[in-house]
Amino acid sequence: MTKRLSGKSPIEAGQPDASRLSARRLMSATPNADAAACAQAKARLTPEKFAALPLRQRLILAAIDEIEEVGFERFSVRRVAAACGASCAAPYKHFKNRQELVVAILDYISQEWLKRQQRIIDRMKGASIREILIEFAVDYIRFLVENPRYNSVLMLKGETLDSSYMDVKARLSDYSKELLLEYCRQEGVDLRIARVKMYVVRSQIYGFALMFINNELPYGEMMIRFVRTLVEREFELPWTLAFESEGAFQTKELKEFLSKLGPEPGEELPKPAPYNSK
Protein backbone atom coordinates (compact mmCIF):
# COMPACT_ATOMS: atom_id res chain seq x y z
CA MET A 1 0.00 0.00 0.00
CA THR A 2 1.15 3.47 -0.75
CA LYS A 3 1.75 6.04 1.92
CA ARG A 4 -0.96 8.55 2.68
CA LEU A 5 -0.24 11.94 1.22
CA SER A 6 0.22 14.79 3.63
CA GLY A 7 -1.98 17.84 3.89
CA LYS A 8 -5.67 18.31 4.46
CA SER A 9 -8.18 16.45 2.35
CA PRO A 10 -10.41 18.60 0.14
CA ILE A 11 -13.26 18.07 2.59
CA GLU A 12 -11.13 19.25 5.48
CA ALA A 13 -9.86 22.17 3.44
CA GLY A 14 -13.40 23.11 2.40
CA GLN A 15 -12.47 23.64 -1.24
CA PRO A 16 -15.44 24.00 -3.62
CA ASP A 17 -13.82 21.67 -6.17
CA ALA A 18 -13.16 19.04 -3.55
CA SER A 19 -13.63 16.11 -5.88
CA ARG A 20 -10.03 15.50 -6.92
CA LEU A 21 -8.23 13.11 -4.59
CA SER A 22 -5.39 10.97 -5.83
CA ALA A 23 -6.13 7.27 -6.16
CA ARG A 24 -2.91 6.69 -4.24
CA ARG A 25 -4.36 8.66 -1.34
CA LEU A 26 -7.58 6.65 -1.53
CA MET A 27 -5.58 3.49 -1.02
CA SER A 28 -4.45 4.62 2.42
CA ALA A 29 -7.92 4.44 3.44
CA THR A 30 -9.59 0.65 7.29
CA PRO A 31 -11.47 -2.21 5.90
CA ASN A 32 -14.90 -2.17 7.45
CA ALA A 33 -15.38 -5.38 9.39
CA ASP A 34 -18.79 -5.79 7.85
CA ALA A 35 -21.01 -3.87 5.46
CA ALA A 36 -23.09 -1.29 7.25
CA ALA A 37 -26.80 -2.02 7.42
CA CYS A 38 -28.84 -0.37 4.71
CA ALA A 39 -29.83 3.14 5.77
CA GLN A 40 -33.49 4.02 5.60
CA ALA A 41 -34.67 6.99 3.58
CA LYS A 42 -33.69 10.18 5.36
CA ALA A 43 -36.43 12.10 7.09
CA ARG A 44 -37.16 15.59 5.84
CA LEU A 45 -35.91 18.51 7.91
CA THR A 46 -38.33 19.90 10.45
CA PRO A 47 -39.48 23.49 9.81
CA GLU A 48 -37.39 24.59 12.79
CA LYS A 49 -34.20 22.96 11.49
CA PHE A 50 -34.85 24.26 7.99
CA ALA A 51 -35.34 27.82 9.25
CA ALA A 52 -32.06 27.61 11.17
CA LEU A 53 -30.03 26.91 8.01
CA PRO A 54 -28.19 29.72 6.18
CA LEU A 55 -30.38 31.32 3.51
CA ARG A 56 -28.19 30.08 0.66
CA GLN A 57 -28.62 26.46 1.77
CA ARG A 58 -32.37 26.93 2.28
CA LEU A 59 -32.65 28.29 -1.26
CA ILE A 60 -30.79 25.27 -2.63
CA LEU A 61 -32.97 22.78 -0.75
CA ALA A 62 -36.17 24.60 -1.66
CA ALA A 63 -35.11 24.69 -5.31
CA ILE A 64 -34.59 20.90 -5.27
CA ASP A 65 -38.20 20.51 -4.13
CA GLU A 66 -39.38 22.98 -6.75
CA ILE A 67 -37.58 21.23 -9.62
CA GLU A 68 -38.85 17.85 -8.47
CA GLU A 69 -42.42 19.15 -8.38
CA VAL A 70 -42.64 21.15 -11.61
CA GLY A 71 -39.47 20.35 -13.59
CA PHE A 72 -36.60 22.57 -14.68
CA GLU A 73 -38.47 24.45 -17.42
CA ARG A 74 -41.22 25.59 -15.06
CA PHE A 75 -39.43 26.04 -11.77
CA SER A 76 -39.69 29.54 -10.35
CA VAL A 77 -37.03 31.36 -8.32
CA ARG A 78 -39.86 33.50 -6.92
CA ARG A 79 -41.57 30.41 -5.47
CA VAL A 80 -38.23 29.16 -4.13
CA ALA A 81 -37.75 32.46 -2.30
CA ALA A 82 -41.30 32.33 -0.93
CA ALA A 83 -40.70 28.80 0.40
CA CYS A 84 -37.75 30.20 2.35
CA GLY A 85 -39.68 33.19 3.66
CA ALA A 86 -37.37 35.49 1.69
CA SER A 87 -38.02 38.38 -0.67
CA CYS A 88 -38.08 37.89 -4.42
CA ALA A 89 -34.75 39.67 -4.69
CA ALA A 90 -33.00 37.60 -2.00
CA PRO A 91 -31.94 34.66 -4.25
CA TYR A 92 -30.12 37.02 -6.60
CA LYS A 93 -27.79 38.03 -3.81
CA HIS A 94 -26.48 34.45 -3.90
CA PHE A 95 -27.05 33.38 -7.54
CA LYS A 96 -26.88 35.46 -10.70
CA ASN A 97 -29.70 33.59 -12.40
CA ARG A 98 -31.75 30.41 -12.41
CA GLN A 99 -29.05 28.35 -14.11
CA GLU A 100 -26.46 29.35 -11.54
CA LEU A 101 -28.85 28.20 -8.83
CA VAL A 102 -29.19 24.80 -10.52
CA VAL A 103 -25.40 24.50 -10.78
CA ALA A 104 -25.19 25.33 -7.06
CA ILE A 105 -27.69 22.55 -6.36
CA LEU A 106 -25.60 20.08 -8.33
CA ASP A 107 -22.46 21.22 -6.51
CA TYR A 108 -24.29 20.69 -3.20
CA ILE A 109 -25.24 17.14 -4.25
CA SER A 110 -21.69 16.49 -5.42
CA GLN A 111 -20.32 17.59 -2.05
CA GLU A 112 -22.79 15.35 -0.21
CA TRP A 113 -21.67 12.36 -2.29
CA LEU A 114 -18.03 13.31 -1.76
CA LYS A 115 -18.53 13.22 2.02
CA ARG A 116 -19.92 9.69 1.74
CA GLN A 117 -16.96 8.63 -0.37
CA GLN A 118 -14.60 10.09 2.21
CA ARG A 119 -16.32 8.05 4.93
CA ILE A 120 -15.88 4.90 2.82
CA ILE A 121 -12.21 5.71 2.38
CA ASP A 122 -11.75 6.37 6.10
CA ARG A 123 -13.14 2.94 7.05
CA MET A 124 -11.44 0.95 4.27
CA LYS A 125 -7.75 1.44 5.00
CA GLY A 126 -5.79 -1.37 3.44
CA ALA A 127 -8.57 -2.35 1.02
CA SER A 128 -7.83 -3.05 -2.63
CA ILE A 129 -8.84 -0.70 -5.43
CA ARG A 130 -11.37 -3.28 -6.58
CA GLU A 131 -12.97 -3.43 -3.12
CA ILE A 132 -13.27 0.36 -2.95
CA LEU A 133 -14.73 0.60 -6.47
CA ILE A 134 -17.35 -2.00 -5.55
CA GLU A 135 -18.16 -0.17 -2.30
CA PHE A 136 -18.52 3.11 -4.17
CA ALA A 137 -20.95 1.49 -6.63
CA VAL A 138 -23.10 -0.04 -3.89
CA ASP A 139 -23.13 3.07 -1.73
CA TYR A 140 -24.09 5.28 -4.67
CA ILE A 141 -27.27 3.21 -4.94
CA ARG A 142 -27.92 3.92 -1.28
CA PHE A 143 -27.20 7.62 -1.87
CA LEU A 144 -29.74 7.83 -4.71
CA VAL A 145 -32.41 5.87 -2.82
CA GLU A 146 -31.97 7.86 0.37
CA ASN A 147 -32.16 11.13 -1.57
CA PRO A 148 -34.71 10.54 -4.35
CA ARG A 149 -35.27 14.29 -4.76
CA TYR A 150 -31.73 14.62 -6.10
CA ASN A 151 -32.65 12.63 -9.20
CA SER A 152 -34.67 15.50 -10.64
CA VAL A 153 -31.44 17.51 -10.82
CA LEU A 154 -29.05 14.69 -11.69
CA MET A 155 -31.21 13.67 -14.64
CA LEU A 156 -31.39 17.13 -16.22
CA LYS A 157 -30.17 17.15 -19.80
CA GLY A 158 -26.95 19.03 -20.39
CA GLU A 159 -28.31 20.94 -23.37
CA THR A 160 -30.80 22.76 -21.13
CA LEU A 161 -27.94 24.27 -19.11
CA ASP A 162 -24.56 25.83 -19.76
CA SER A 163 -21.24 23.99 -19.60
CA SER A 164 -20.73 24.74 -15.91
CA TYR A 165 -23.52 22.25 -15.11
CA MET A 166 -21.71 19.41 -16.91
CA ASP A 167 -18.39 20.42 -15.32
CA VAL A 168 -19.86 20.10 -11.84
CA LYS A 169 -21.73 16.91 -12.72
CA ALA A 170 -18.45 15.31 -13.81
CA ARG A 171 -17.17 15.66 -10.24
CA LEU A 172 -19.58 12.98 -9.08
CA SER A 173 -17.45 10.31 -10.74
CA ASP A 174 -13.97 11.79 -10.29
CA TYR A 175 -13.00 9.37 -7.51
CA SER A 176 -14.21 6.35 -9.48
CA LYS A 177 -12.50 7.42 -12.70
CA GLU A 178 -9.20 7.94 -10.94
CA LEU A 179 -9.44 4.62 -9.14
CA LEU A 180 -10.29 2.92 -12.43
CA LEU A 181 -7.14 4.32 -14.05
CA GLU A 182 -5.07 3.03 -11.14
CA TYR A 183 -6.77 -0.37 -11.35
CA CYS A 184 -6.01 -0.56 -15.08
CA ARG A 185 -2.35 0.11 -14.40
CA GLN A 186 -2.12 -2.57 -11.73
CA GLU A 187 -3.98 -5.22 -13.72
CA GLY A 188 -2.69 -4.32 -17.18
CA VAL A 189 -6.24 -3.79 -18.43
CA ASP A 190 -7.10 -2.05 -21.70
CA LEU A 191 -8.79 1.21 -20.72
CA ARG A 192 -11.50 0.72 -23.34
CA ILE A 193 -12.46 -2.57 -21.72
CA ALA A 194 -12.53 -0.96 -18.28
CA ARG A 195 -14.84 1.78 -19.50
CA VAL A 196 -17.20 -0.73 -21.07
CA LYS A 197 -17.26 -2.54 -17.74
CA MET A 198 -18.05 0.67 -15.91
CA TYR A 199 -20.94 1.39 -18.27
CA VAL A 200 -22.34 -2.00 -17.29
CA VAL A 201 -21.85 -1.26 -13.58
CA ARG A 202 -23.43 2.19 -13.94
CA SER A 203 -26.45 0.62 -15.62
CA GLN A 204 -26.76 -1.69 -12.60
CA ILE A 205 -26.47 1.25 -10.21
CA TYR A 206 -29.10 3.43 -11.87
CA GLY A 207 -31.37 0.49 -12.69
CA PHE A 208 -31.49 -0.87 -9.17
CA ALA A 209 -31.74 2.61 -7.62
CA LEU A 210 -34.75 3.39 -9.82
CA MET A 211 -36.45 0.09 -8.97
CA PHE A 212 -35.88 0.67 -5.25
CA ILE A 213 -37.23 4.23 -5.47
CA ASN A 214 -40.30 3.05 -7.41
CA ASN A 215 -40.89 0.20 -4.93
CA GLU A 216 -40.46 -2.38 -7.67
CA LEU A 217 -37.92 -4.10 -5.40
CA PRO A 218 -37.76 -4.10 -1.59
CA TYR A 219 -35.00 -1.83 -0.35
CA GLY A 220 -33.10 -3.61 2.38
CA GLU A 221 -29.83 -5.26 3.30
CA MET A 222 -30.73 -8.53 1.57
CA MET A 223 -31.18 -6.78 -1.79
CA ILE A 224 -28.07 -4.68 -1.28
CA ARG A 225 -26.08 -7.90 -0.77
CA PHE A 226 -27.59 -9.20 -4.02
CA VAL A 227 -26.57 -6.03 -5.87
CA ARG A 228 -23.08 -6.24 -4.40
CA THR A 229 -22.79 -9.81 -5.68
CA LEU A 230 -23.71 -8.68 -9.20
CA VAL A 231 -21.16 -5.87 -9.16
CA GLU A 232 -18.48 -8.22 -7.82
CA ARG A 233 -19.35 -10.73 -10.53
CA GLU A 234 -18.82 -8.06 -13.18
CA PHE A 235 -15.26 -7.62 -11.93
CA GLU A 236 -14.71 -11.39 -12.03
CA LEU A 237 -15.88 -11.82 -15.63
CA PRO A 238 -13.19 -11.73 -18.37
CA TRP A 239 -11.97 -8.21 -19.12
CA THR A 240 -12.09 -8.52 -22.90
CA LEU A 241 -13.75 -6.92 -25.87
CA ALA A 242 -14.32 -10.27 -27.56
CA PHE A 243 -17.66 -9.09 -28.88
CA GLU A 244 -15.80 -6.77 -31.26
CA SER A 245 -15.12 -9.77 -33.50
CA GLU A 246 -18.73 -10.91 -33.58
CA GLY A 247 -20.52 -9.95 -36.76
CA ALA A 248 -23.65 -8.76 -34.98
CA PHE A 249 -21.64 -5.98 -33.35
CA GLN A 250 -19.70 -4.83 -36.38
CA THR A 251 -21.68 -1.65 -36.92
CA LYS A 252 -20.28 1.76 -37.69
CA GLU A 253 -21.93 3.23 -34.59
CA LEU A 254 -20.43 0.65 -32.22
CA LYS A 255 -16.97 0.97 -33.76
CA GLU A 256 -17.11 4.75 -33.33
CA PHE A 257 -18.28 4.34 -29.74
CA LEU A 258 -15.47 1.94 -28.88
CA SER A 259 -12.87 4.15 -30.56
CA LYS A 260 -13.76 6.99 -28.18
CA LEU A 261 -13.47 4.95 -24.99
CA GLY A 262 -9.73 5.15 -24.57
CA PRO A 263 -6.30 4.07 -25.75
CA GLU A 264 -5.75 0.93 -27.75
CA PRO A 265 -4.06 -2.00 -25.96
CA GLY A 266 -0.41 -1.19 -25.30
CA GLU A 267 -0.86 2.57 -25.42
CA GLU A 268 0.13 4.57 -22.38
CA LEU A 269 -2.75 5.46 -20.06
CA PRO A 270 -3.21 9.11 -19.11
CA LYS A 271 -1.83 9.93 -15.69
CA PRO A 272 -4.31 10.89 -12.93
CA ALA A 273 -4.48 14.55 -11.99
CA PRO A 274 -2.09 15.25 -9.10
CA TYR A 275 -3.62 15.71 -5.67
CA ASN A 276 -3.46 19.32 -4.56
CA SER A 277 -3.48 19.59 -0.78
CA LYS A 278 -3.21 23.38 -0.70
Side-chain angles (χ1 to χ4, degrees):
M1 283 302 136
T2 54
K3 187 177 180 181
R4 189 180 182 93
L5 295 180
S6 61
K8 293 183 178 180
S9 73
I11 290 177
E12 294 166 334
Q15 297 178 4
D17 58 345
S19 50
R20 296 190 178 277
L21 278 183
S22 166
R24 291 179 293 280
R25 185 173 190 276
L26 297 181
M27 289 302 90
S28 65
T30 68
N32 48 333
D34 194 10
C38 253
Q40 299 299 315
K42 290 182 179 178
R44 299 290 292 275
L45 289 171
T46 64
E48 293 76 19
K49 288 183 178 180
F50 180 78
L53 295 173
L55 178 57
R56 189 177 190 278
Q57 187 173 348
R58 279 185 284 145
L59 290 168
I60 287 173
L61 296 176
I64 293 174
D65 283 343
E66 173 76 4
I67 292 173
E68 182 185 36
E69 183 176 345
V70 302
F72 172 74
E73 297 300 333
R74 296 177 56 201
F75 105 87
S76 163
V77 177
R78 181 185 295 269
R79 284 197 297 269
V80 169
C84 297
S87 68
C88 297
Y92 298 101
K93 295 179 181 178
H94 299 274
F95 315 102
K96 288 190 297 186
N97 50 43
R98 197 170 67 148
Q99 291 215 10
E100 188 171 287
L101 173 55
V102 174
V103 171
I105 294 170
L106 189 60
D107 186 62
Y108 172 83
I109 294 171
S110 178
Q111 293 297 318
E112 291 299 297
W113 171 230
L114 176 64
K115 291 174 186 175
R116 291 180 70 120
Q117 289 177 301
Q118 187 72 65
R119 287 195 290 270
I120 290 171
I121 293 163
D122 290 342
R123 73 171 187 259
M124 292 188 71
K125 291 178 182 176
S128 67
I129 294 178
R130 167 178 160 162
E131 289 170 322
I132 292 180
L133 281 170
I134 291 170
E135 190 62 30
F136 277 6
V138 173
D139 199 60
Y140 194 58
I141 293 175
R142 290 190 178 106
F143 179 69
L144 294 174
V145 175
E146 293 167 12
N147 301 282
R149 296 180 301 145
Y150 292 172
N151 292 322
S152 57
V153 178
L154 293 172
M155 295 299 114
L156 287 176
K157 294 183 179 180
E159 60 265 24
T160 65
L161 296 154
D162 59 31
S163 60
S164 57
Y165 171 84
M166 298 308 295
D167 290 342
V168 176
K169 189 172 183 179
R171 296 178 193 168
L172 286 163
S173 57
D174 270 359
Y175 268 151
S176 299
K177 287 177 181 176
E178 200 166 344
L179 278 176
L180 185 58
L181 283 177
E182 193 75 13
Y183 185 83
C184 288
R185 282 191 180 82
Q186 290 186 4
E187 302 295 325
V189 173
D190 176 359
L191 187 57
R192 295 185 309 151
I193 300 170
R195 285 179 173 164
V196 168
K197 283 279 189 179
M198 294 315 293
Y199 277 119
V200 175
V201 173
R202 283 175 63 186
S203 69
Q204 292 174 328
I205 290 171
Y206 288 110
F208 275 106
L210 184 62
M211 286 188 284
F212 288 141
I213 291 170
N214 292 338
N215 294 318
E216 296 177 52
L217 288 174
Y219 178 54
E221 185 59 28
M222 181 187 72
M223 286 305 301
I224 288 294
R225 287 200 301 269
F226 174 63
V227 173
R228 184 186 298 277
T229 299
L230 292 180
V231 176
E232 290 174 342
R233 179 177 179 272
E234 197 57 44
F235 275 81
E236 292 168 359
L237 291 173
W239 287 62
T240 66
L241 281 179
F243 61 80
E244 282 187 281
S245 62
E246 298 179 20
F249 291 95
Q250 292 305 297
T251 63
K252 178 181 178 182
E253 290 77 13
L254 181 59
K255 288 180 179 179
E256 289 179 351
F257 169 73
L258 293 174
S259 70
K260 297 175 182 177
L261 288 179
E264 294 291 336
E267 290 187 9
E268 184 179 354
L269 297 177
K271 295 181 179 180
Y275 168 60
N276 182 4
S277 62
K278 294 181 179 180

